Amino acid sequence: GDISYTCVGQDSFLITVNLFRDCAGIGAPATAAMNFTSTCGGSATAQLVKQNSFEISQLCPAQIPNSTCNGGNWPGMEQHTYTGIVVLSPPCNTWTMSWSSCCRNDQITNLTNPNSLSTYLYTTMYSGVDSCNNSPTFTSLPIPYVCLNQVVNYNFGVVEPDGDSIVYFMSPGFEDATTLIPYAAGYTFNQPLPGGNAVLNTFNGQLTFTPT
């Protein structure tokens, strides 16, 4: 999933959450409950409304009716988009926006007991310098199929509407604001893929790896 925000007033922001769901896994929520906290003591909540959901299965068009989203056996994926407007006042150096839900798909292989772990998404806005800031957004679907033992170059397609500088880095997964998720033996947040050869370009966000 991902969280983005767009300034629609000096202290009002349109919050967007995109969730990507394995159709053979757990269901998507009807709404997305967001929490907002600032280092200045401010807080807010918002219940984001689902705007749309649609299938994004990486299948040939003729096989879409046979995906798990449609009762078939081929792997199916959906995207669910939620939006809402929240007032974040007063401006503060740091506002953290977060969403969480239990539990993760039990078919995940690089985590320990994934079906007992919550999914936690967060983003941080620095509004002390710019009280009407906009976040970067992702334009690539984060569900590519890749081929065994072939080099993969994957880019997240990040767009920064304000022209701010962007630096990319790998980050640990979280279960909540303070708890890191436990990776299975042989995996770390820097090396979450089989083969342990992932390299992330910090300047352009290109992720290069060879799946084993």
Side-chain angles (χ1 to χ4, degrees):
D2 64 68
I3 302 173
S4 61
Y5 53 86
T6 303
C7 181
V8 293
Q10 200 61 24
D11 54 5
S12 298
F13 296 86
L14 173 67
I15 311 299
T16 300
V17 172
N18 291 306
L19 300 180
F20 301 91
R21 171 182 175 262
D22 179 351
C23 288
I26 61 175
T31 59
M34 294 287 296
N35 291 301
F36 306 85
T37 57
S38 79
T39 52
C40 304
S43 64
T45 59
Q47 198 75 28
L48 307 190
V49 177
K50 184 187 291 189
Q51 299 299 326
N52 54 58
S53 60
F54 44 89
E55 185 171 357
I56 53 172
S57 302
Q58 302 295 283
L59 301 173
C60 297
Q63 293 300 327
I64 291 293
N66 299 318
S67 76
T68 53
C69 301
N70 299 299
N73 296 317
W74 291 111
M77 295 290 293
E78 290 177 339
Q79 178 177 340
H80 298 256
T81 300
Y82 307 79
T83 64
I85 293 177
V86 64
V87 175
L88 300 178
S89 183
C92 182
N93 185 53
T94 305
W95 276 96
T96 298
M97 315 173 187
S98 64
W99 172 87
S100 65
S101 176
C102 186
C103 298
R104 294 176 184 256
N105 192 320
D106 63 5
Q107 298 301 304
I108 294 173
T109 57
N110 61 353
L111 301 179
T112 301
N113 298 322
N115 59 345
S116 67
L117 302 174
S118 293
T119 297
Y120 177 80
L121 305 178
Y122 77 96
T123 189
T124 302
M125 178 178 68
Y126 301 97
S127 60
V129 175
D130 181 3
S131 61
C132 199
N133 190 24
N134 300 290
S135 73
T137 57
F138 296 92
T139 61
S140 297
L141 295 175
I143 56 167
Y145 285 116
V146 296
C147 295
L148 185 68
N149 297 320
Q150 293 188 19
V151 177
V152 176
N153 291 290
Y154 177 76
N155 196 288
F156 297 92
V158 174
V159 175
E160 218 311 325
D162 298 330
D164 296 331
S165 61
I166 302 176
V167 176
Y168 299 85
F169 58 91
M170 304 288 268
S171 174
F174 284 82
E175 189 175 5
D176 55 42
T178 58
T179 307
L180 298 180
I181 56 175
Y183 286 88
Y187 297 97
T188 67
F189 75 87
N190 271 317
Q191 293 296 338
L193 304 174
N197 53 39
V199 176
L200 180 66
N201 187 307
T202 59
F203 297 103
N204 63 21
Q206 187 97 329
L207 183 66
T208 302
F209 60 96
T210 302
T212 60

